[in-house]
Every structure is written in structure tokens, then in C-alpha cells.
Amino acid sequence: MLAKTIKKHLKTVANFTVPKNNFSLSIDPNLGKYDSSQTKYWDESLILVDENDHVMSRISKVEAHLNSFNNSGLAHRAFSVFLFNENNELLLHQRSRKKVTFPLLWTNSCCSHPLYNEDEMEETDNMGAKRAIS
């Protein structure tokens, strides 16, 4: 049902454009140029997983995102939230200009990462992700 609802709204989503000069698919290796409101979280430990979502190890947020778009195949756990109102309209948000990855991109309602800690790594009934959201 969710996939069908999202497909229904793709035409609307596809109408949004991002200024080409502000769009980035990777982090600039010159890490000093980024806003401190973003870089203060770069040492957070995310969950590095293999192609079957089995936990491999911890990885820092900056390492995870520096590697997200290369050919190494590294992946980290993340989640997206899609909020719909009573008219079945999808809430989108535009990422901040200060975001390191995908600044100014129109995207899902919300997204984040569970962290590499016991509470947020619990897989039973997706409790780790639920804790990460709260």
C-alpha cells in the first residue's frame, strides 16, 4: 500500500528541481569548509552493514558518507519517514543549505540513522530503529 501511494505522488515529486550549482553527491574531502552545526556529529558511530544487512562494524558518520557514493560497496543503516495527511498527500522537506550531503534537495518527510549502540542496534521488531526515531 505504501509503495502504491508513493508511486501515485511521484509525478508531484518529480516536478521539484534542485539548483545544479548547489547539488552534491559526495562530501568534499576539504572537511574544514563545512558548517560546525553539521560537523559536530561526524564522529557519531553508525552501523556498517553488508549487502544482506548483517552488521559488520561501526563506522563514523563522515566515513560512511565519504564512502556512500564510491565503488567500495559500503552501506550503513538509515531510515526514511514518509508522512501523509488525510488527503493522502506526502509531506516533503527541502534539506538545509548547510547540510553536507544533498543540500537543498527536496526529499522524504524525515530521515536519520540508528547509531552503533546496543539500544539502537536491537533488531527484534525493529526496536533499534524505533528508538533512533524517538
Side-chain angles (χ1 to χ4, degrees), residues 103-123:
L104 298 175
L105 182 70
W106 284 94
T107 186
N108 53 15
S109 306
C110 172
C111 59
S112 191
H113 308 89
L115 300 178
Y116 190 92
N117 64 50
E118 187 176 328
D119 286 340
E120 294 186 19
M121 291 176 64
E122 183 179 344
E123 295 181 8

Side-chain angles (χ1 to χ4, degrees), residues 20-116:
K20 288 185 171 55
N21 60 342
N22 292 319
F23 187 69
S24 171
L25 288 178
S26 63
I27 296 176
D28 187 324
N30 177 14
L31 303 179
K33 77 176 211 172
Y34 295 109
D35 188 273
S36 64
S37 68
Q38 297 296 303
T39 60
K40 67 183 177 183
Y41 298 106
W42 281 1
D43 288 333
E44 285 183 328
S45 294
L46 303 184
I47 306 166
L48 182 67
V49 295
D50 65 16
E51 64 275 359
N52 296 310
D53 194 39
H54 296 122
V55 176
M56 295 172 54
S57 66
R58 71 178 63 224
I59 187 168
S60 73
K61 187 177 283 186
V62 70
E63 289 174 307
H65 289 120
L66 279 170
N67 288 304
S68 290
F69 303 102
N70 65 23
N71 295 322
S72 67
L74 295 177
H76 60 279
R77 284 194 182 154
F79 57 85
S80 293
V81 177
F82 298 90
L83 296 175
F84 295 88
N85 66 14
E86 63 277 355
N87 295 319
N88 215 23
E89 297 169 321
L90 174 62
L91 172 67
L92 296 176
H93 83 280
Q94 187 175 26
R95 292 173 63 87
S96 168
R97 179 180 311 280
K98 293 181 179 183
K99 288 302 244 182
V100 175
T101 53
F102 307 109
L104 298 175
L105 182 70
W106 284 94
T107 186
N108 53 15
S109 306
C110 172
C111 59
S112 191
H113 308 89
L115 300 178
Y116 190 92

